[in-house]
Amino acid sequence: MNFSRGMAFFHTPSRLGARLSLSFAALLAVTAAAWTPLGAQAAAPAELKLDYAYYSPESLVIKRNGWLEQEVAADHTQVKWVLSLGSNRALEYLNSGAIDIGSTAGLAAVLGRANGNPIRTVYIYSRPEWTALVVRKDSSLKTLADLKGKKIAATKGTDPFLFTLRALHTAGLSRDDVELVNLQHPDGRTALANGQVDAWAGLDPHMAAAQIEDGARLLYRNVDFNTYGFLNAREDFIHEHPETLAHVLKVYERARVWIAEHPDETAKIVAEESKLPLAVAKLQLSRNDFSHPQPGPQQIEALKAAAPILLQEQLVKPGTDLNQVIDALVDVKFAQPVIASADGKQATQKE
């Protein structure tokens, strides 16, 4: 799918948003009331800590344009940006409190919550095909079955790692049939290019760069095994600063709409931030669908279909009720008023 075609799938303003009469400020108050004790006033934090990631185009657009700093300026909140190189890093930062809000893949977020990470998913930043199993252009490997006994670079605790396990299972293999080498995504690409591993569980934009710059080949693709891009917030932050969370979601929604209207500028930002060629950024963006920002049944269903791999591969405690974990993780209510307000504004502007 080319970049322009990918953008064609972008969601047009919903009728629901156009019909809503509540202002964004009123909706913000409703959201805050859900988490603020009766009679209490939620104070804005002195510092807001969140991540940016090369696999999350919205985060790069927001950071580049300074939109979040503008949004929280009246609250005298300082914004601290932290780079996440993968879901595993974002989850570590969330668990330790180094960040309040972080970007991960969906199944990685389930793994984190199942193992005690106190997070909830509050927004969907994209539906990507951002991972596949990659081999060198001169590799003799042709099928998943050929991976038996081979070395595969994969970042533990990330979507590419879990994608690899699911892919192996389709060929009747498990992680005991291969040697998984735990490397961060960019290091995995380097290891593949240098012949230190036979395959790599790639992640965009590094995967797109390997294709364009190294001639790497995608051995196995399955868009259904790519889980959604989740924006997660720590539960204590949600409870203590619901209005600040709403401000973050507002700028994420602004960025999502802006990306559809400015595909070339978006590609330039992604390329400059990741220090990769423009063609790489365009290939990455062509594999992203930004049309479903609202967390809900679609993501819950996809995660429940994917979750058994976590038990099968003993990545969570035996007996863990993963359906319960997923239901607790995906929180639908925070994004609803923000998306509805943005849709309403777009509908009004078009009338």
Side-chain angles (χ1 to χ4, degrees), residues 51 55 87 90-91 94 102-106 108-109 125 130 228-232:
D51 76 347
Y55 51 84
S87 294
L91 288 166
L94 284 162
S103 318
T104 74
Y125 59 84
W130 54 16
Y228 292 78
F230 278 23
L231 188 67
N232 310 292

Side-chain angles (χ1 to χ4, degrees), residues 58-308:
E58 285 98 327
S59 70
L60 303 181
V61 168
I62 293 165
K63 180 175 178 289
R64 172 66 66 91
N65 290 316
W67 289 341
L68 186 55
E69 287 81 356
Q70 297 166 21
E71 181 69 22
V72 299
D75 296 329
H76 306 290
T77 296
Q78 298 297 312
V79 176
K80 179 181 179 181
W81 291 98
V82 178
L83 175 63
S84 288
L85 291 175
S87 294
N88 63 324
R89 288 287 183 259
L91 288 166
E92 288 171 10
Y93 299 151
L94 284 162
N95 199 36
S96 68
I99 59 175
D100 307 305
I101 299 171
S103 318
T104 74
L107 193 55
V110 174
L111 177 60
R113 173 136 188 140
N115 287 324
N117 205 326
I119 57 172
R120 291 197 183 187
T121 300
V122 293
Y123 189 82
I124 305 299
Y125 59 84
S126 75
R127 173 64 166 103
E129 184 190 3
W130 54 16
T131 188
L133 287 174
V134 188
V135 295
R136 292 184 300 279
K137 62 181 178 180
D138 59 352
S139 174
S140 62
L141 302 177
K142 302 297 182 185
T143 68
L144 286 172
D146 295 335
L147 290 172
K148 187 173 183 178
K150 304 298 184 182
K151 291 183 179 181
I152 306 173
T155 310
K156 189 174 181 180
T158 67
D159 216 37
F161 180 84
L162 299 170
F163 175 94
T164 301
L165 298 181
R166 296 181 75 189
L168 291 172
H169 276 232
T170 68
L173 302 175
S174 74
R175 62 174 169 176
D176 293 333
D177 294 306
V178 299
E179 182 180 345
L180 292 175
V181 182
N182 184 26
L183 295 172
Q184 282 297 141
H185 303 301
D187 298 328
R189 176 195 171 188
T190 301
L192 179 69
N194 292 340
Q196 296 168 300
V197 295
D198 303 291
W200 164 51
L203 180 74
D204 274 339
H206 310 291
M207 184 170 71
Q211 289 179 265
I212 291 176
E213 297 179 341
D214 307 337
R217 175 167 53 88
L218 303 188
L219 175 72
Y220 178 77
R221 301 175 69 175
N222 189 332
V223 68
D224 290 334
F225 283 4
N226 286 251
T227 55
Y228 292 78
F230 278 23
L231 188 67
N232 310 292
R234 288 177 53 87
E235 288 186 320
D236 56 356
F237 181 83
I238 293 172
H239 281 276
E240 294 167 12
H241 306 293
E243 293 188 6
T244 303
L245 174 61
H247 286 308
V248 173
L249 298 188
K250 181 182 176 183
V251 295
Y252 259 85
E253 184 64 5
R254 178 181 178 183
R256 183 183 74 89
V257 173
W258 189 90
I259 286 170
E261 297 173 347
H262 304 86
D264 292 336
E265 292 177 61
T266 301
K268 183 179 178 182
I269 290 173
V270 172
E272 290 176 355
E273 289 289 332
S274 61
K275 297 179 175 58
L276 291 170
L278 185 61
V280 170
K282 288 186 175 182
L283 178 56
Q284 172 190 356
L285 289 165
S286 74
R287 296 196 277 234
N288 276 263
D289 177 0
F290 298 95
S291 66
H292 301 287
Q294 173 63 56
Q298 191 172 10
Q299 289 78 31
I300 291 172
E301 181 180 350
L303 290 178
K304 288 183 177 180

